[in-house]
Short mmCIF file of all heavy atoms in Angstrom, two decimals:
data_model
loop_
_atom_site.label_atom_id
_atom_site.label_comp_id
_atom_site.label_asym_id
_atom_site.label_seq_id
_atom_site.Cartn_x
_atom_site.Cartn_y
_atom_site.Cartn_z
N LEU A 1 -6.89 -6.35 7.24
CA LEU A 1 -7.23 -7.22 6.12
C LEU A 1 -6.14 -7.19 5.06
O LEU A 1 -5.79 -8.23 4.49
CB LEU A 1 -8.56 -6.77 5.51
CG LEU A 1 -9.81 -7.00 6.37
CD1 LEU A 1 -11.02 -6.32 5.75
CD2 LEU A 1 -10.07 -8.50 6.54
N ARG A 2 -5.58 -6.02 4.81
CA ARG A 2 -4.53 -5.91 3.80
C ARG A 2 -3.28 -6.70 4.22
O ARG A 2 -2.68 -7.41 3.42
CB ARG A 2 -4.19 -4.43 3.61
CG ARG A 2 -3.28 -4.14 2.41
CD ARG A 2 -1.83 -4.03 2.82
NE ARG A 2 -0.97 -3.86 1.66
CZ ARG A 2 -0.47 -4.86 0.95
NH1 ARG A 2 -0.79 -6.09 1.25
NH2 ARG A 2 0.33 -4.63 -0.07
N LEU A 3 -2.92 -6.60 5.50
CA LEU A 3 -1.74 -7.31 5.99
C LEU A 3 -1.96 -8.82 5.99
O LEU A 3 -1.05 -9.59 5.65
CB LEU A 3 -1.38 -6.82 7.39
CG LEU A 3 -0.86 -5.38 7.46
CD1 LEU A 3 -0.79 -4.91 8.91
CD2 LEU A 3 0.51 -5.27 6.81
N ALA A 4 -3.16 -9.25 6.37
CA ALA A 4 -3.46 -10.68 6.37
C ALA A 4 -3.39 -11.25 4.96
O ALA A 4 -2.84 -12.33 4.74
CB ALA A 4 -4.84 -10.92 6.98
N ARG A 5 -3.93 -10.53 3.99
CA ARG A 5 -3.87 -11.00 2.61
C ARG A 5 -2.44 -11.03 2.10
O ARG A 5 -2.03 -11.95 1.38
CB ARG A 5 -4.74 -10.12 1.71
CG ARG A 5 -4.80 -10.63 0.27
CD ARG A 5 -5.74 -9.80 -0.57
NE ARG A 5 -5.33 -8.42 -0.60
CZ ARG A 5 -6.18 -7.40 -0.73
NH1 ARG A 5 -7.47 -7.63 -0.81
NH2 ARG A 5 -5.74 -6.17 -0.77
N PHE A 6 -1.66 -10.01 2.45
CA PHE A 6 -0.26 -9.97 2.02
C PHE A 6 0.50 -11.19 2.54
O PHE A 6 1.28 -11.81 1.82
CB PHE A 6 0.39 -8.68 2.51
CG PHE A 6 1.87 -8.60 2.22
CD1 PHE A 6 2.31 -8.27 0.95
CD2 PHE A 6 2.80 -8.86 3.20
CE1 PHE A 6 3.67 -8.19 0.66
CE2 PHE A 6 4.16 -8.79 2.93
CZ PHE A 6 4.59 -8.46 1.66
N ASN A 7 0.28 -11.54 3.81
CA ASN A 7 0.98 -12.68 4.39
C ASN A 7 0.57 -13.99 3.73
O ASN A 7 1.40 -14.88 3.53
CB ASN A 7 0.72 -12.75 5.90
CG ASN A 7 1.41 -11.63 6.66
OD1 ASN A 7 2.36 -11.03 6.17
ND2 ASN A 7 0.92 -11.32 7.85
N THR A 8 -0.70 -14.13 3.39
CA THR A 8 -1.14 -15.37 2.75
C THR A 8 -0.64 -15.45 1.31
O THR A 8 -0.37 -16.55 0.81
CB THR A 8 -2.67 -15.47 2.77
OG1 THR A 8 -3.24 -14.31 2.13
CG2 THR A 8 -3.19 -15.56 4.19
N MET A 9 -0.50 -14.32 0.64
CA MET A 9 -0.03 -14.33 -0.75
C MET A 9 1.45 -14.70 -0.85
O MET A 9 1.92 -15.08 -1.92
CB MET A 9 -0.28 -12.97 -1.40
CG MET A 9 -1.75 -12.68 -1.67
SD MET A 9 -2.03 -11.05 -2.40
CE MET A 9 -1.28 -11.29 -4.02
N LEU A 10 2.19 -14.59 0.26
CA LEU A 10 3.60 -14.98 0.24
C LEU A 10 3.75 -16.47 -0.04
O LEU A 10 4.78 -16.91 -0.57
CB LEU A 10 4.26 -14.63 1.58
CG LEU A 10 4.41 -13.13 1.88
CD1 LEU A 10 5.01 -12.95 3.28
CD2 LEU A 10 5.29 -12.44 0.84
N ASP A 11 2.73 -17.25 0.35
CA ASP A 11 2.79 -18.70 0.16
C ASP A 11 2.05 -19.15 -1.10
O ASP A 11 1.84 -20.34 -1.30
CB ASP A 11 2.17 -19.41 1.38
CG ASP A 11 2.90 -19.05 2.67
OD1 ASP A 11 4.13 -18.88 2.62
OD2 ASP A 11 2.24 -18.93 3.72
N GLU A 12 1.66 -18.20 -1.94
CA GLU A 12 0.92 -18.55 -3.15
C GLU A 12 1.82 -19.29 -4.13
O GLU A 12 2.87 -18.78 -4.53
CB GLU A 12 0.37 -17.28 -3.81
CG GLU A 12 -0.46 -17.54 -5.05
CD GLU A 12 -0.95 -16.25 -5.68
OE1 GLU A 12 -0.90 -15.20 -5.01
OE2 GLU A 12 -1.36 -16.29 -6.85
N PRO A 13 1.44 -20.51 -4.51
CA PRO A 13 2.29 -21.27 -5.44
C PRO A 13 2.14 -20.77 -6.87
O PRO A 13 1.10 -20.24 -7.27
CB PRO A 13 1.77 -22.70 -5.29
CG PRO A 13 0.32 -22.53 -4.92
CD PRO A 13 0.25 -21.27 -4.10
N ASN A 14 3.19 -20.97 -7.65
CA ASN A 14 3.18 -20.66 -9.09
C ASN A 14 2.81 -19.20 -9.37
O ASN A 14 2.13 -18.90 -10.35
CB ASN A 14 2.20 -21.59 -9.82
CG ASN A 14 2.53 -23.06 -9.62
OD1 ASN A 14 3.70 -23.44 -9.59
ND2 ASN A 14 1.50 -23.87 -9.45
N ARG A 15 3.24 -18.31 -8.51
CA ARG A 15 2.98 -16.89 -8.73
C ARG A 15 3.93 -16.38 -9.80
O ARG A 15 5.16 -16.53 -9.66
CB ARG A 15 3.16 -16.11 -7.43
CG ARG A 15 2.91 -14.61 -7.56
CD ARG A 15 3.08 -13.94 -6.21
NE ARG A 15 3.00 -12.49 -6.30
CZ ARG A 15 1.89 -11.79 -6.30
NH1 ARG A 15 0.72 -12.42 -6.22
NH2 ARG A 15 1.91 -10.47 -6.37
N PRO A 16 3.42 -15.78 -10.89
CA PRO A 16 4.32 -15.28 -11.94
C PRO A 16 5.30 -14.25 -11.40
O PRO A 16 4.95 -13.43 -10.53
CB PRO A 16 3.35 -14.66 -12.96
CG PRO A 16 2.03 -15.29 -12.68
CD PRO A 16 2.00 -15.57 -11.22
N ALA A 17 6.52 -14.26 -11.92
CA ALA A 17 7.55 -13.36 -11.43
C ALA A 17 7.19 -11.90 -11.66
O ALA A 17 7.53 -11.03 -10.84
CB ALA A 17 8.88 -13.69 -12.11
N TRP A 18 6.46 -11.59 -12.74
CA TRP A 18 6.15 -10.20 -13.04
C TRP A 18 5.22 -9.58 -12.00
O TRP A 18 5.21 -8.35 -11.82
CB TRP A 18 5.53 -10.08 -14.43
CG TRP A 18 4.22 -10.77 -14.61
CD1 TRP A 18 4.00 -12.04 -15.04
CD2 TRP A 18 2.92 -10.21 -14.36
NE1 TRP A 18 2.66 -12.33 -15.07
CE2 TRP A 18 1.97 -11.22 -14.67
CE3 TRP A 18 2.47 -8.97 -13.92
CZ2 TRP A 18 0.60 -11.02 -14.54
CZ3 TRP A 18 1.10 -8.76 -13.79
CH2 TRP A 18 0.18 -9.78 -14.09
N LYS A 19 4.47 -10.40 -11.28
CA LYS A 19 3.54 -9.87 -10.27
C LYS A 19 4.27 -9.31 -9.05
O LYS A 19 3.68 -8.56 -8.26
CB LYS A 19 2.56 -10.95 -9.83
CG LYS A 19 1.47 -11.25 -10.84
CD LYS A 19 0.39 -12.13 -10.25
CE LYS A 19 -0.76 -12.33 -11.24
NZ LYS A 19 -1.86 -13.14 -10.65
N SER A 20 5.54 -9.66 -8.88
CA SER A 20 6.29 -9.14 -7.73
C SER A 20 6.52 -7.64 -7.84
O SER A 20 6.88 -6.99 -6.85
CB SER A 20 7.64 -9.86 -7.61
OG SER A 20 8.45 -9.61 -8.75
N ALA A 21 6.31 -7.06 -9.02
CA ALA A 21 6.46 -5.61 -9.21
C ALA A 21 5.22 -4.85 -8.75
O ALA A 21 5.21 -3.61 -8.82
CB ALA A 21 6.76 -5.29 -10.66
N TYR A 22 4.19 -5.57 -8.27
CA TYR A 22 2.94 -4.92 -7.88
C TYR A 22 2.48 -5.43 -6.52
O TYR A 22 2.69 -6.58 -6.16
CB TYR A 22 1.84 -5.19 -8.91
CG TYR A 22 2.19 -4.76 -10.32
CD1 TYR A 22 2.83 -5.66 -11.19
CD2 TYR A 22 1.90 -3.49 -10.78
CE1 TYR A 22 3.16 -5.28 -12.48
CE2 TYR A 22 2.23 -3.11 -12.07
CZ TYR A 22 2.87 -4.00 -12.91
OH TYR A 22 3.21 -3.63 -14.18
N PHE A 23 1.84 -4.53 -5.79
CA PHE A 23 1.12 -4.91 -4.58
C PHE A 23 -0.36 -5.06 -4.93
O PHE A 23 -0.84 -4.44 -5.89
CB PHE A 23 1.26 -3.85 -3.49
CG PHE A 23 2.60 -3.84 -2.81
CD1 PHE A 23 3.34 -2.67 -2.74
CD2 PHE A 23 3.11 -4.99 -2.22
CE1 PHE A 23 4.56 -2.65 -2.11
CE2 PHE A 23 4.34 -4.97 -1.59
CZ PHE A 23 5.06 -3.80 -1.52
N THR A 24 -1.07 -5.85 -4.14
CA THR A 24 -2.52 -5.93 -4.26
C THR A 24 -3.11 -4.99 -3.22
O THR A 24 -3.06 -5.26 -2.03
CB THR A 24 -3.03 -7.36 -4.05
OG1 THR A 24 -2.41 -8.23 -5.00
CG2 THR A 24 -4.53 -7.43 -4.19
N GLY A 25 -3.65 -3.87 -3.67
CA GLY A 25 -4.09 -2.84 -2.75
C GLY A 25 -2.94 -1.92 -2.38
O GLY A 25 -1.78 -2.20 -2.66
N VAL A 26 -3.29 -0.82 -1.74
CA VAL A 26 -2.27 0.12 -1.29
C VAL A 26 -1.52 -0.50 -0.12
O VAL A 26 -2.14 -0.98 0.83
CB VAL A 26 -2.91 1.45 -0.86
CG1 VAL A 26 -1.89 2.38 -0.20
CG2 VAL A 26 -3.55 2.14 -2.06
N PRO A 27 -0.19 -0.57 -0.16
CA PRO A 27 0.57 -1.16 0.95
C PRO A 27 0.39 -0.35 2.23
O PRO A 27 0.12 0.86 2.19
CB PRO A 27 2.02 -1.12 0.46
CG PRO A 27 2.04 -0.06 -0.58
CD PRO A 27 0.70 -0.09 -1.23
N SER A 28 0.53 -1.02 3.37
CA SER A 28 0.22 -0.37 4.64
C SER A 28 1.10 0.85 4.95
O SER A 28 0.57 1.85 5.46
CB SER A 28 0.30 -1.40 5.79
OG SER A 28 1.54 -2.08 5.78
N PRO A 29 2.42 0.86 4.67
CA PRO A 29 3.17 2.09 4.93
C PRO A 29 2.68 3.27 4.10
O PRO A 29 2.55 4.40 4.60
CB PRO A 29 4.61 1.71 4.56
CG PRO A 29 4.66 0.23 4.68
CD PRO A 29 3.31 -0.23 4.25
N ALA A 30 2.38 3.02 2.81
CA ALA A 30 1.84 4.08 1.97
C ALA A 30 0.45 4.49 2.45
O ALA A 30 0.09 5.68 2.43
CB ALA A 30 1.78 3.62 0.52
N GLY A 31 -0.34 3.51 2.90
CA GLY A 31 -1.66 3.83 3.42
C GLY A 31 -1.60 4.72 4.64
O GLY A 31 -2.41 5.64 4.80
N ALA A 32 -0.61 4.49 5.50
CA ALA A 32 -0.44 5.35 6.67
C ALA A 32 -0.09 6.77 6.24
O ALA A 32 -0.60 7.75 6.80
CB ALA A 32 0.66 4.78 7.58
N GLY A 33 0.80 6.89 5.25
CA GLY A 33 1.15 8.22 4.75
C GLY A 33 -0.03 8.93 4.14
O GLY A 33 -0.22 10.14 4.34
N LEU A 34 -0.87 8.19 3.40
CA LEU A 34 -2.06 8.79 2.80
C LEU A 34 -3.10 9.14 3.86
O LEU A 34 -3.80 10.16 3.74
CB LEU A 34 -2.68 7.83 1.78
CG LEU A 34 -1.83 7.50 0.55
CD1 LEU A 34 -2.54 6.46 -0.31
CD2 LEU A 34 -1.50 8.74 -0.25
N ALA A 35 -3.20 8.33 4.90
CA ALA A 35 -4.19 8.58 5.94
C ALA A 35 -3.96 9.91 6.65
O ALA A 35 -4.90 10.56 7.11
CB ALA A 35 -4.18 7.44 6.96
N LEU A 36 -2.71 10.33 6.72
CA LEU A 36 -2.37 11.57 7.41
C LEU A 36 -2.50 12.80 6.52
O LEU A 36 -2.11 13.90 6.93
CB LEU A 36 -0.95 11.48 7.96
CG LEU A 36 -0.71 10.36 8.99
CD1 LEU A 36 0.74 10.32 9.40
CD2 LEU A 36 -1.61 10.55 10.19
N PHE A 37 -3.04 12.64 5.33
CA PHE A 37 -3.18 13.75 4.39
C PHE A 37 -3.92 14.95 4.99
O PHE A 37 -3.51 16.10 4.79
CB PHE A 37 -3.88 13.25 3.12
CG PHE A 37 -4.01 14.27 2.05
CD1 PHE A 37 -2.90 14.74 1.36
CD2 PHE A 37 -5.26 14.78 1.70
CE1 PHE A 37 -3.02 15.68 0.35
CE2 PHE A 37 -5.39 15.71 0.69
CZ PHE A 37 -4.27 16.17 0.02
N PRO A 38 -5.03 14.75 5.75
CA PRO A 38 -5.68 15.91 6.36
C PRO A 38 -4.77 16.68 7.32
O PRO A 38 -4.89 17.90 7.45
CB PRO A 38 -6.87 15.29 7.11
CG PRO A 38 -7.16 14.03 6.36
CD PRO A 38 -5.81 13.51 5.94
N VAL A 39 -3.85 15.98 7.98
CA VAL A 39 -2.91 16.66 8.87
C VAL A 39 -1.94 17.51 8.05
O VAL A 39 -1.62 18.64 8.41
CB VAL A 39 -2.15 15.65 9.75
CG1 VAL A 39 -1.25 16.38 10.75
CG2 VAL A 39 -3.13 14.76 10.50
N TYR A 40 -1.46 16.95 6.94
CA TYR A 40 -0.57 17.72 6.07
C TYR A 40 -1.24 19.02 5.63
O TYR A 40 -0.63 20.09 5.67
CB TYR A 40 -0.19 16.92 4.80
CG TYR A 40 0.35 15.54 5.01
CD1 TYR A 40 0.27 14.59 4.00
CD2 TYR A 40 0.96 15.16 6.22
CE1 TYR A 40 0.76 13.31 4.16
CE2 TYR A 40 1.44 13.87 6.39
CZ TYR A 40 1.34 12.96 5.35
OH TYR A 40 1.82 11.69 5.51
N LEU A 41 -2.50 18.92 5.21
CA LEU A 41 -3.20 20.10 4.71
C LEU A 41 -3.33 21.16 5.79
O LEU A 41 -3.24 22.37 5.50
CB LEU A 41 -4.59 19.71 4.20
CG LEU A 41 -4.65 18.91 2.89
CD1 LEU A 41 -6.10 18.60 2.55
CD2 LEU A 41 -4.00 19.67 1.76
N SER A 42 -3.56 20.74 7.02
CA SER A 42 -3.77 21.71 8.09
C SER A 42 -2.51 22.50 8.41
O SER A 42 -2.60 23.61 8.95
CB SER A 42 -4.27 20.99 9.35
OG SER A 42 -3.27 20.13 9.88
N PHE A 43 -1.34 21.95 8.07
CA PHE A 43 -0.08 22.64 8.35
C PHE A 43 0.57 23.22 7.10
O PHE A 43 1.58 23.93 7.21
CB PHE A 43 0.90 21.69 9.03
CG PHE A 43 0.54 21.36 10.44
CD1 PHE A 43 -0.05 20.15 10.76
CD2 PHE A 43 0.78 22.27 11.47
CE1 PHE A 43 -0.39 19.84 12.06
CE2 PHE A 43 0.44 21.97 12.78
CZ PHE A 43 -0.15 20.75 13.08
N ALA A 44 0.03 22.91 5.93
CA ALA A 44 0.63 23.40 4.67
C ALA A 44 0.12 24.80 4.37
O ALA A 44 -0.72 25.01 3.48
CB ALA A 44 0.32 22.44 3.53
N GLY A 45 0.61 25.77 5.10
CA GLY A 45 0.13 27.14 4.97
C GLY A 45 0.43 27.75 3.62
O GLY A 45 -0.33 28.60 3.13
N ASN A 46 1.52 27.37 2.96
CA ASN A 46 1.89 27.96 1.68
C ASN A 46 0.97 27.54 0.54
O ASN A 46 1.00 28.16 -0.53
CB ASN A 46 3.33 27.57 1.31
CG ASN A 46 4.34 28.21 2.25
OD1 ASN A 46 4.17 29.35 2.66
ND2 ASN A 46 5.40 27.49 2.58
N LEU A 47 0.17 26.50 0.74
CA LEU A 47 -0.72 26.03 -0.33
C LEU A 47 -2.11 26.67 -0.26
O LEU A 47 -2.92 26.47 -1.17
CB LEU A 47 -0.86 24.51 -0.26
CG LEU A 47 0.43 23.71 -0.49
CD1 LEU A 47 0.14 22.21 -0.38
CD2 LEU A 47 1.03 24.02 -1.86
N ASN A 48 -2.38 27.40 0.83
CA ASN A 48 -3.68 28.08 0.99
C ASN A 48 -4.85 27.11 0.82
O ASN A 48 -5.83 27.41 0.13
CB ASN A 48 -3.81 29.23 0.00
CG ASN A 48 -2.79 30.33 0.25
OD1 ASN A 48 -2.50 30.66 1.39
ND2 ASN A 48 -2.23 30.87 -0.82
#
């Protein structure tokens, strides 16, 4: 859903230039990194 919305927003007319500094929702690469957080915790032995 996030990717579909991102693709449709590329064709949005009259989009203010300042909005290009923001994503709507967490972007998919960042979402993948956040999704693996439980894996990070399981291997982060120094954090107890």
Side-chain angles (χ1 to χ4, degrees):
L1 290 171
R2 190 263 176 274
L3 292 169
R5 184 176 59 210
F6 175 78
N7 290 339
T8 56
M9 289 179 68
L10 292 176
D11 301 325
E12 182 181 344
N14 303 322
R15 180 178 173 84
W18 64 269
K19 285 190 175 183
S20 63
Y22 303 90
F23 285 126
T24 302
V26 172
S28 53
L34 296 176
L36 299 177
F37 184 69
V39 184
Y40 308 157
L41 289 179
S42 66
F43 288 102
N46 292 323
L47 296 179
N48 296 320

